[in-house]
Amino acid sequence: MSYDYIEGKKRIEEILNNSIKIVDSEKIPKNGSEFTFNNGYYNWVTAIFVDIRDSSELFSKKGLETKEETAKLIRAFTSEIIEILRDDDNLREIGIRGDCVYAIYTTSKKSDIFSCANKTFYINTYLNMLNKLLSSRGKETFKAGIGMATDQELVVKAGAAYTGINSKVWIGNAVTRASNLSALGEKETSDRLFFSELSYINFIEELRKRNSEKDVEEWFKKIKGRDGETSYHADIIKVEFDEWIKAGMAD
């Protein structure tokens, strides 16, 4: 490799000298002409991370047959979670980081944040379905954490314009917080679901409206982490979905 550091210096100076416009819009735009190397967007976003527990132990198992089984497990885990997360006009990024599936949404309204929370309830129930299917086949079941966080974030397009290699960078607390919260589910507690305080206070009213005959606040336990941040954990499921699972999952 030969890196032209003289040209590199020129490129860095060009970036540092150029003006950049930060747009405080109603929504973060989708990929396209609105995102350039000369602008950035600042708005409310919500991130969801779903993280497998003890994945290193799962991945390190020896033997070809075991590796094939591991591949099936990972595909089963990721495919339907992606299916649940991707169906949303507010989706701005979705992907897999190692053993973790994640998605990021633009959420300028409380209803948008509730929609994200609703996805986590579906994922929590889906994992019950997956584990029942695995158990019926004599396979190991999954443990996982589901973290969700909301915050205002700065989003910029980063990379090298002339190479075609670029990606959005999310600068703020939502993505990091959701990732950290996903590490707590079925570890610090038996619950999989963990929500940041900002997520919770923005979706709880809508959840209360949809369950007016119930005390929905009792579904959540408030805790303060070692970092001093408040979060809420729960084991909320989609009732009709869960009843179908318990009834035997007939086609």
Side-chain angles (χ1 to χ4, degrees), residues 170-233:
W170 304 82
I171 305 163
N173 197 41
V175 174
T176 302
R177 184 91 174 109
S179 177
N180 291 341
L181 288 172
S182 72
L184 303 178
E186 288 202 287
K187 184 178 180 181
E188 298 293 320
T189 169
S190 59
D191 292 341
R192 294 191 189 109
L193 296 166
F194 272 77
F195 302 96
S196 73
E197 188 168 33
L198 268 176
S199 286
Y200 174 83
I201 63 177
N202 277 285
F203 72 66
I204 192 64
E205 182 181 350
E206 183 61 29
L207 190 63
R208 194 184 298 118
K209 284 180 184 176
R210 294 178 182 229
N211 299 272
S212 57
E213 75 288 0
K214 299 174 182 175
D215 184 359
V216 298
E217 282 83 357
E218 284 193 350
W219 299 350
F220 298 86
K221 295 181 181 65
K222 180 179 179 180
I223 62 168
K224 184 162 285 191
R226 299 182 187 94
D227 56 4
E229 294 266 14
T230 297
S231 62
Y232 294 79
H233 62 89

Side-chain angles (χ1 to χ4, degrees), residues 88-244:
D88 196 313
D89 288 340
N90 289 327
L91 180 67
R92 291 299 179 265
E93 186 171 324
I94 188 168
I96 301 170
R97 293 181 181 176
D99 58 359
C100 183
V101 182
Y102 75 96
I104 306 170
Y105 304 85
T106 179
T107 51
S108 55
K109 301 174 182 176
K110 287 186 176 183
S111 58
D112 299 331
I113 298 171
F114 174 79
S115 178
C116 290
N118 199 42
K119 292 179 196 302
T120 69
F121 307 154
Y122 269 108
I123 293 169
N124 192 34
T125 316
Y126 163 69
L127 290 173
N128 289 344
M129 179 180 82
L130 175 60
N131 281 340
K132 187 166 184 178
L133 290 170
L134 292 172
S135 181
S136 69
R137 289 164 170 77
K139 307 296 183 185
E140 289 185 61
T141 56
F142 275 109
K143 286 188 176 182
I146 306 165
M148 174 175 148
T150 302
D151 212 331
Q152 287 181 295
E153 297 220 350
L154 173 64
V155 190
V156 298
K157 188 175 183 179
Y162 60 92
T163 65
I165 300 171
N166 60 76
S167 182
K168 292 193 290 292
V169 177
W170 304 82
I171 305 163
N173 197 41
V175 174
T176 302
R177 184 91 174 109
S179 177
N180 291 341
L181 288 172
S182 72
L184 303 178
E186 288 202 287
K187 184 178 180 181
E188 298 293 320
T189 169
S190 59
D191 292 341
R192 294 191 189 109
L193 296 166
F194 272 77
F195 302 96
S196 73
E197 188 168 33
L198 268 176
S199 286
Y200 174 83
I201 63 177
N202 277 285
F203 72 66
I204 192 64
E205 182 181 350
E206 183 61 29
L207 190 63
R208 194 184 298 118
K209 284 180 184 176
R210 294 178 182 229
N211 299 272
S212 57
E213 75 288 0
K214 299 174 182 175
D215 184 359
V216 298
E217 282 83 357
E218 284 193 350
W219 299 350
F220 298 86
K221 295 181 181 65
K222 180 179 179 180
I223 62 168
K224 184 162 285 191
R226 299 182 187 94
D227 56 4
E229 294 266 14
T230 297
S231 62
Y232 294 79
H233 62 89
D235 184 31
I236 300 170
I237 55 170
K238 303 299 291 185
V239 174
E240 185 178 345
F241 184 5
D242 193 60
E243 287 176 350
W244 174 77

Side-chain angles (χ1 to χ4, degrees), residues 37-131:
F37 285 96
N38 296 313
N39 68 10
Y41 288 83
Y42 185 68
N43 207 286
W44 289 96
V45 305
T46 296
I48 298 171
F49 277 69
V50 188
D51 188 19
I52 301 172
R53 289 285 80 80
D54 304 320
S55 60
S56 57
E57 181 182 339
L58 176 67
F59 296 155
S60 64
K61 291 182 178 178
K62 302 285 192 288
L64 181 59
E65 184 178 341
T66 304
K67 293 297 183 189
E68 290 173 350
E69 288 300 317
T70 300
K72 289 179 185 179
L73 287 174
I74 297 305
R75 283 184 177 172
F77 179 84
T78 59
S79 64
E80 290 307 302
I81 291 174
I82 288 171
E83 191 67 21
I84 293 167
L85 292 173
R86 74 178 183 87
D87 187 22
D88 196 313
D89 288 340
N90 289 327
L91 180 67
R92 291 299 179 265
E93 186 171 324
I94 188 168
I96 301 170
R97 293 181 181 176
D99 58 359
C100 183
V101 182
Y102 75 96
I104 306 170
Y105 304 85
T106 179
T107 51
S108 55
K109 301 174 182 176
K110 287 186 176 183
S111 58
D112 299 331
I113 298 171
F114 174 79
S115 178
C116 290
N118 199 42
K119 292 179 196 302
T120 69
F121 307 154
Y122 269 108
I123 293 169
N124 192 34
T125 316
Y126 163 69
L127 290 173
N128 289 344
M129 179 180 82
L130 175 60
N131 281 340

